Amino acid sequence: MPVTAESIAKAKELDAYALGVSAYLWGYPLVRMERIVREYIDVKGPQPGTSYRAPLNRIGWATELATPSAKDMPAANNDTLYMSAVVTLTEPYVLSVPDTDGRYYVVNVFTMYHEDEQDIGRRVTGTKAGRFAIVPPGWKGKLPEGVQRIDVSTDKVWLWGRLHIRDGEPSGPVRALQAKFDLRPLGQLENATYAAQPAELPPLPDIAGDDLGFFTHLGFAMRHNPILPRDAALAGQLERIGLTRNGFDRTKLSPEQVAALKRALADGAVVASAAVSTTAKKVGSWDSTIIDGYGFNYPLRAVHSGPYLGGNMAQEAYYPSTYLDSQGEPLTGANKYELRFAKAPPVDAFWSATLYNADDKMLVDNPINRYKVGSETPGLKTNPDGSISVPIQHDEPAGAGKSNWLPASKGNFFLVLRFYQPRKELLSGAYPLPTLTKTQ
């Protein structure tokens, strides 16, 4: 083909578009994490009991289960109290955990790429007291005896935890247990008077009015986080659109390249959004996704760091969900439904079915303040054949059905099943997921 000014401009535009989509899919978790960790360490004024925010390098615990008024996180569970700690690893930080006496808990160690590189808790490390050192890249020191080493690939991490609390259980002993979780630098491990000093993260660049603001934030994230060895070649390619380890420089981009990057931002979001549907499979009316890592599936990693931020890997907790009944019709409070489990789900911890508004993904306010039904529901009835029937409707059912009643909103809603420490029958599909049928 003859090389002309027009063909060169077209080539740059196409190249910028392709690289822009790749940059979005690869870099979205970095940008998302840089943004969200600043939200989670922003503690101004009194916090509600459902808040898990805390200053940098400190642990924040929710002391109350999520309710319809808790707006910090969509589709929050109503099974566990959340924990959050954003940590800058200037040296190894030691997380000391108490003996929970069998009580379920998990602390995910997320890198700034939103990759869960280690789980600390009942399934992996047990529930005895322990000490775990989160070690930054390149650290060569020696840890004290009895401290377990956890190497991570970025020098900032997000510790995201969950601690089980049962319906109606007194909160006092659980809060006392929370207070025994401790986080401190390795050098302060034996300092009985240690208190975390105030610390801050550098502010993100102001992108108000910046139509390529995402790339500005991605350049910032690339400057403040290591490029993983497996991504070095991809990061090198991004230099052609002004993205380097020194940030984002748009000054050398042509108007065609700028236009292409704008298109890439819109289309990259579409590719990421489709990742769940392309990796999920339908099991009856349920969307079932078994996630045990991302590899090079950057679209899936991107979408999980967005609306599914902080989600467990399937071995820890398995989350089938649905907006539809068994006939493929949208779930709505105008109808009545039965959720029927053939038998109790095979889990090594506990399970629940939680209902959310379809529009805002928040829990549904109801007269009995019940937002889920599961193995921990007081008075849960099992049928003589071992099955479990859960009426789902807006109005309270008559008779024996109300003991298992899951109140619905007036409008559209969706359901999330949560199986904590699922057994292999669940993950393999040998155990059938429950049916969800319209009864009226």
Side-chain angles (χ1 to χ4, degrees):
M1 295 180 62
V3 177
T4 65
E6 290 78 12
S7 67
I8 291 173
K10 184 65 174 177
K12 287 184 175 180
E13 178 185 4
L14 292 172
D15 186 49
Y17 174 75
L19 289 172
V21 171
S22 292
Y24 182 89
L25 297 173
W26 168 75
Y28 182 87
L30 268 176
V31 173
R32 170 74 162 148
M33 290 292 286
E34 287 288 356
R35 291 172 176 172
I36 202 70
V37 295
R38 284 164 174 79
E39 288 185 28
Y40 286 178
I41 63 174
D42 183 10
V43 184
K44 295 176 181 176
Q47 298 291 304
T50 54
S51 174
Y52 36 77
R53 299 188 181 202
L56 187 64
N57 301 327
R58 303 187 203 181
I59 291 174
W61 276 108
T63 56
E64 299 173 8
L65 289 174
T67 66
S69 62
K71 305 296 185 183
D72 242 19
M73 186 171 62
N77 81 56
N78 189 247
D79 305 308
T80 68
L81 300 171
Y82 285 112
M83 184 207 91
S84 176
V86 178
V87 191
T88 54
L89 298 174
T90 51
E91 62 177 291
Y93 265 68
V94 178
L95 176 68
S96 298
V97 301
D99 187 339
T100 67
D101 193 26
R103 182 186 297 271
Y104 176 86
Y105 82 95
V106 63
V107 177
N108 311 126
V109 182
F110 279 101
T111 70
M112 293 302 288
Y113 289 87
H114 194 255
E115 294 190 344
D116 180 4
E117 292 193 330
Q118 176 70 42
D119 289 337
I120 300 166
R122 187 175 186 265
R123 179 182 65 89
V124 178
T125 59
T127 62
K128 297 294 185 184
R131 287 175 162 181
F132 303 89
I134 317 299
V135 177
W139 188 78
K140 303 295 185 183
K142 185 178 180 181
L143 295 173
E145 185 177 351
V147 178
Q148 182 174 327
R149 180 173 179 141
I150 296 174
D151 288 283
V152 293
S153 56
T154 59
D155 53 14
K156 287 197 302 290
V157 293
W158 177 40
L159 307 183
W160 181 231
R162 300 166 177 84
L163 177 67
H164 185 214
I165 183 168
R166 297 169 180 82
D167 284 343
E169 180 181 10
S171 62
V174 179
R175 293 188 185 188
L177 189 62
Q178 289 175 322
K180 294 179 181 178
F181 283 76
D182 181 78
L183 178 67
R184 62 180 63 201
L186 177 63
Q188 299 292 324
L189 187 57
E190 304 303 336
N191 181 358
T193 62
Y194 169 74
Q197 297 302 304
E200 295 182 354
L201 295 174
L204 285 169
D206 182 2
I207 58 172
D210 183 355
D211 49 8
L212 295 181
F214 173 85
F215 294 116
T216 300
H217 277 182
L218 178 55
F220 175 93
M222 291 171 67
R223 190 165 74 248
H224 290 275
N225 294 280
I227 304 298
L228 303 182
R230 69 182 187 219
D231 296 332
L234 172 59
Q237 299 294 309
L238 300 183
E239 293 180 10
R240 297 205 300 275
I241 55 172
L243 276 167
T244 73
R245 296 169 192 255
N246 295 319
F248 176 57
D249 181 4
R250 63 186 290 171
T251 60
K252 297 179 182 177
L253 298 178
S254 69
E256 293 84 3
Q257 287 175 305
V258 170
L261 290 181
K262 292 178 185 178
R263 287 195 297 118
L265 288 178
D267 292 349
V270 174
V271 175
S273 297
V276 171
S277 62
T278 57
T279 55
K281 63 179 181 179
K282 277 287 185 183
V283 181
S285 59
W286 302 96
D287 292 315
S288 170
T289 305
I290 306 295
I291 302 295
D292 60 4
Y294 303 115
F296 291 100
N297 192 338
Y298 296 136
L300 183 63
R301 188 180 69 177
V303 77
H304 268 242
S305 65
Y308 303 99
L309 182 79
N312 280 300
M313 296 292 104
Q315 299 93 331
E316 186 68 36
Y318 171 40
Y319 306 121
S321 63
T322 186
Y323 287 79
L324 307 173
D325 64 20
S326 58
Q327 301 302 310
E329 297 294 328
L331 297 171
T332 171
N335 299 326
K336 297 178 180 180
Y337 304 90
E338 180 192 51
L339 179 68
R340 185 179 184 278
F341 297 83
K343 59 181 180 179
V347 294
D348 287 326
F350 55 97
W351 64 269
S352 65
T354 311
L355 189 146
Y356 303 91
N357 281 313
D359 54 353
D360 62 6
K361 296 181 172 57
M362 295 298 162
L363 295 167
V364 174
D365 199 10
N366 64 83
I368 63 171
N369 297 321
R370 177 182 286 175
Y371 312 112
K372 67 173 186 292
V373 168
S375 53
E376 304 298 326
T377 300
L380 184 74
K381 303 293 186 184
T382 300
N383 299 322
D385 63 356
S387 65
I388 301 171
S389 299
V390 179
I392 300 177
Q393 57 193 67
H394 180 67
D395 297 322
E396 182 176 342
K402 59 183 165 183
S403 62
N404 291 7
W405 175 39
L406 181 56
S409 61
K410 288 184 177 180
N412 289 359
F413 62 87
F414 71 101
L415 294 171
V416 176
L417 303 177
R418 288 184 172 88
F419 302 111
Y420 294 87
Q421 292 186 234
R423 295 178 186 165
K424 62 182 180 180
E425 307 97 282
L426 259 170
L427 299 181
S428 69
Y431 171 84
L433 293 180
T435 56
L436 181 58
T437 55
K438 184 167 66 175
T439 57
Q440 186 176 330

